[in-house]
């Protein structure tokens, strides 16, 4: 939170920890950003240097680590797109230091002459692997206390939740500052597989003293996730003071790492606190206190049912029961379902529609996901029939291994039909059972280029 604006990992393969000696280490930074870009970059470099000396696998920087503006005009003037030189510099820092870096909130310039408050994660190859744009904007006016914090004047809110990303410390969920006051977001991320929640912040001094630690520990306890919150500290300008206390909390709510809180000892030097992320502790807490299993979603519904998750544009594959589906073969996607061209087809135009969330059976899906899956299937069926000049389709769900399911992920086969395509009409069910199994009826795999070309055609039709 700021006065005017807040603002396929493919390396470092790792095995999850078995003993404490193997636990990955994180470094969580604390700094005092101003409107001086060079000064702020020096602080960022200082935190990274301290983190690498501690052998941290990931460095977490606070919200507004690029700058804290003195007015709204300056806030927009200093903002840059993600393709700008500032992010290029951040990529170089990650690559040159061979470390993952969470830039907890930078000012991403938009076409509307505003900015997103964007949480950016860059891996040690200098590649962007996570982009989250802050959902909840801090708009508070209390004239009697001379408090006028209206983030929406310069910040555009995000439109979706970003699913947790794989990282060297576990499945990392991205949020920013004020988001911590909304437990629904934390629960949605936990249900999506999160193991670590992040809340990089620039928390005001007054609210920090009252709520900072309480809120973060509550999010850890209720979600049964680690919580990591880098922080701004001290006086940024005449109007803005941040609380500090960058912190790491385990899934039981215990503080396992923290930096100092704000005091009268300004100015502050950049500091880091470190902690080990022991995922076996997370497994133990969830096993001994299985609250997710005890939720009465039949009474009050599920948070995730109404949550809109989007995949970052940089994602190149989707996970389909452990199989990586190239994004180029995906021709339609909703927050809950996606359709893609098939590797092995029973008939020309045979495509698949799958749930985004990894679920083995139809009964594992929420009512919203079920409705969306079949709504998507109908939309896709119409497009496939148009392209392949068919007036009928066979629509099949093999729900479980005994029903012929070979990929343990809910999906629907859509196969456009024509008169005489099989001698006996129902013979198609025999072929679908055997088309991807070793044997004389196994269909040969198609090349990626053929799948992509078909996806391009279907994508064009379905978007009309």
């Amino acid at each position: 939170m700021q006065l005017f604006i807040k603002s396929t990992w493919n390396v470092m393969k790792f095995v999850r920890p078995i003993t404490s000696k193997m636990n990955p280490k994180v470094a969580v930074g604390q700094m005092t950003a101003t409107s001086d870009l060079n000064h702020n970059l020096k602080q960022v470099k200082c935190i990274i240097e301290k983190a690498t000396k501690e052998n941290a696998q990931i460095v977490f920087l606070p919200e507004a680590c690029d700058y804290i503006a003195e007015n709204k005009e300056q806030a927009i003037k200093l903002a840059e797109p993600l393709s700008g030189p500032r992010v290029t510099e951040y990529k170089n820092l990650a690559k040159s230091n061979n470390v993952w870096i969470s830039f907890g909130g930078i000012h991403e310039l938009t076409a509307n002459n505003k900015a997103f408050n964007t949480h950016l994660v860059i891996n040690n190859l200098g590649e962007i692997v996570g982009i989250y744009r802050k959902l909840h904007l801090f708009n508070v006016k209390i004239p009697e206390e001379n408090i006028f914090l209206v983030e929406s004047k310069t910040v555009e809110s995000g439109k979706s939740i970003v699913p947790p990303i794989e990282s060297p410390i576990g499945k990392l969920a991205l949020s920013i500052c004020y988001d911590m006051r909304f437990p629904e977001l934390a629960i949605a991320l936990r249900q999506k597989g999160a193991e670590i929640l992040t809340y990089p912040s620039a928390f005001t001094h007054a609210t920090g003293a009252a709520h900072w630690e309480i809120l973060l520990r509550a999010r850890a306890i209720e979600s049964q996730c680690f919580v990591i919150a880098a922080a701004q500290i001290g006086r940024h300008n005449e109007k803005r003071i941040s609380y500090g206390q960058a912190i790491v909390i385990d899934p039981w709510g215990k503080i396992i790492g923290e930096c100092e809180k704000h005091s009268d000892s300004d100015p502050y030097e950049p500091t880091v606190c470190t902690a080990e992320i022991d995922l076996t502790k997370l497994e133990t807490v969830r096993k001994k206190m299985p609250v997710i299993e005890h939720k009465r979603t039949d009474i009050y519904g599920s948070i995730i049912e109404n949550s809109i998750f989007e995949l970052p544009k940089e994602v190149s594959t989707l996970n389909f029961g452990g199989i990586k589906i190239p994004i180029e073969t995906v021709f339609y996607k909703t927050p809950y379902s996606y359709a893609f061209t098939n590797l092995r087809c029973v008939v020309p135009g045979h495509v698949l529609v799958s749930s985004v969330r990894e679920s083995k059976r139809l009964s594992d899906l929420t009512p919203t996901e079920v409705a969306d899956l079949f709504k998507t299937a109908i939309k896709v069926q119409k497009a496939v029939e148009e392209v392949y000049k068919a007036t009928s389709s066979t629509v099949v769900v093999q729900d479980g291994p005994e029903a012929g399911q070979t990929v343990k992920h809910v999906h629907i086969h859509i196969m456009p039909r024509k008169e005489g395509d099989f001698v006996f009409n129902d013979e198609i069910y025999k072929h679908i059972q055997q088309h991807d199994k070793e044997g004389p009826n196994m269909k040969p795999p198609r090349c990626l280029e053929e799948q992509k070309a078909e996806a391009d055609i279907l994508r064009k039709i379905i978007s009309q």
Side-chain angles (χ1 to χ4, degrees):
M1 194 179 61
Q2 197 200 117
L3 177 56
F4 296 100
I5 182 170
K6 296 197 192 157
S7 149
T8 28
W9 76 285
N10 51 12
V11 297
M12 293 184 68
K13 294 192 176 183
F14 64 100
V15 177
R16 289 206 167 168
I18 297 175
T19 67
S20 62
K21 292 182 180 179
M22 297 174 64
N23 292 336
K25 183 184 286 188
V26 299
V28 186
Q30 190 158 278
M31 60 184 281
T32 311
T34 66
S35 58
D36 185 335
L37 298 178
N38 291 329
H39 172 70
N40 300 333
L41 183 59
K42 287 180 181 178
Q43 292 186 84
V44 166
K45 289 179 177 179
C46 179
I47 288 172
I48 295 170
E49 181 181 355
K50 290 181 179 182
T52 54
K53 286 181 179 178
E54 294 286 342
N55 297 314
Q57 275 89 342
I58 302 186
V59 186
F60 290 87
L61 294 164
E63 178 185 28
C65 56
D66 53 351
Y67 61 85
I68 289 182
E70 297 180 13
N71 53 61
K72 63 181 182 180
E73 290 78 17
Q74 185 183 56
I76 295 301
K77 181 180 179 181
L78 295 177
E80 292 182 1
L82 297 186
S83 58
R86 189 174 303 132
V87 172
T88 299
E89 176 71 23
Y90 292 160
K91 290 179 178 179
N92 291 335
L93 283 173
K95 186 175 182 179
S96 63
N97 287 279
N98 191 33
V99 67
W100 283 51
I101 306 176
S102 158
F103 293 90
I106 63 172
H107 302 72
E108 177 193 355
L109 188 64
T110 73
N112 301 324
N113 201 34
K114 281 192 172 185
F116 287 117
N117 188 346
T118 301
H119 185 166
L120 206 63
V121 178
I122 300 175
N123 70 14
N124 62 323
L125 287 181
E127 301 167 335
I128 296 175
V129 293
I131 300 173
Y132 164 75
R133 297 176 175 97
K134 188 179 178 188
L135 292 175
H136 302 99
L137 302 185
F138 189 71
N139 294 331
V140 176
K141 298 178 182 179
I142 310 175
E144 60 270 23
E145 296 183 21
N146 197 32
I147 294 177
F148 297 91
L149 300 172
V150 186
E151 193 173 11
S152 61
K153 281 186 176 180
T154 51
V155 177
E156 187 173 333
S157 63
K159 300 297 186 288
S160 61
I161 306 171
V162 175
I165 62 174
E166 289 284 357
S167 81
I169 63 171
K171 293 181 179 179
L172 194 68
L174 310 184
S175 304
I176 301 174
C177 197
Y178 190 48
D179 287 334
M180 76 177 68
R181 292 188 179 272
F182 301 88
E184 299 90 344
L185 177 59
I187 296 302
L189 288 165
R190 160 67 201 275
Q191 290 179 316
K192 199 69 173 177
E195 295 169 323
I196 303 105
L197 304 178
T198 58
Y199 294 102
S201 300
F203 231 64
T204 63
H205 183 269
T207 53
H211 297 154
W212 171 255
E213 184 178 318
I214 295 171
L215 285 171
L216 291 171
R217 294 181 70 183
R219 297 296 83 85
I221 294 166
E222 70 198 4
S223 69
Q224 298 178 315
C225 291
F226 285 90
V227 165
I228 297 175
Q232 293 282 351
I233 188 172
R235 183 173 294 279
H236 309 286
N237 52 52
E238 292 183 0
K239 301 177 181 179
R240 187 74 171 89
I241 301 174
S242 289
Y243 181 67
Q245 196 188 3
I247 200 167
V248 185
I249 302 167
D250 75 11
W252 192 245
K254 178 183 177 183
I255 296 173
I256 58 174
E258 65 179 319
C259 295
E260 66 179 315
K261 305 172 187 176
H262 170 80
S263 67
D264 295 328
S265 59
D266 288 353
Y268 291 93
E269 291 294 324
T271 58
V272 299
C273 63
T274 61
E276 291 187 0
I277 302 300
D278 181 1
L279 292 181
T280 60
K281 182 176 292 186
L282 178 145
E283 294 165 6
T284 298
V285 168
R286 293 181 179 183
K287 183 177 180 180
K288 290 184 177 180
M289 191 74 70
V291 294
I292 293 295
E293 297 175 21
H294 298 160
K295 286 184 179 292
R296 291 298 306 274
T297 55
D298 58 320
I299 303 296
Y300 45 71
S302 171
I303 292 294
I304 204 169
E305 285 184 20
N306 298 312
S307 299
I308 297 179
F309 285 86
E310 290 288 349
L311 289 168
K313 293 180 181 179
E314 288 73 19
V315 170
S316 60
T317 61
L318 285 162
N319 191 16
F320 176 56
I323 300 170
K324 299 299 182 183
I325 303 298
I327 204 72
E328 301 95 327
T329 68
V330 176
F331 58 90
Y332 184 72
K333 184 179 178 298
T334 76
Y336 307 101
S337 311
Y338 63 97
F340 59 101
T341 54
N342 204 354
L343 184 64
R344 291 182 168 89
C345 298
V346 173
V347 296
H350 178 184
V351 299
L352 302 178
V353 176
S354 172
S355 63
V356 170
R357 186 166 64 91
E358 291 186 60
S359 302
K360 295 180 181 179
R361 302 288 305 279
L362 277 171
S363 58
D364 295 330
L365 299 178
T366 67
T368 300
E369 288 173 318
V370 171
D372 186 83
L373 183 72
F374 283 94
K375 183 179 178 181
T376 297
I378 292 170
K379 191 177 185 74
V380 169
Q381 178 187 345
K382 290 179 179 178
V384 169
E385 288 182 359
E386 180 178 343
V387 170
Y388 287 90
K389 309 302 180 185
T391 56
S392 302
S393 293
T394 294
V395 180
V396 176
V397 178
Q398 294 169 291
D399 198 27
E402 285 72 35
Q405 183 190 53
T406 55
V407 178
K408 296 179 180 180
H409 190 147
V410 173
H411 59 284
I412 300 174
H413 295 262
I414 298 177
M415 296 166 283
R417 301 295 304 276
K418 295 181 179 180
E419 185 177 357
D421 51 12
F422 289 95
V423 175
F424 301 103
N425 193 38
D426 286 352
E427 192 178 346
I428 192 170
Y429 298 110
K430 176 182 176 181
H431 282 265
I432 196 172
Q433 181 107 1
Q434 299 176 344
H435 78 290
D436 59 354
K437 293 181 180 178
E438 294 290 340
N441 292 317
M442 185 177 186
K443 297 291 183 179
R446 298 196 295 167
C447 67
L448 180 60
E449 289 305 314
E450 183 181 345
Q451 286 184 264
K452 288 166 59 178
E454 183 182 33
D456 289 342
I457 295 171
L458 288 167
R459 193 179 299 115
K460 184 177 180 181
I461 293 297
I462 210 167
S463 63
Q464 291 177 350

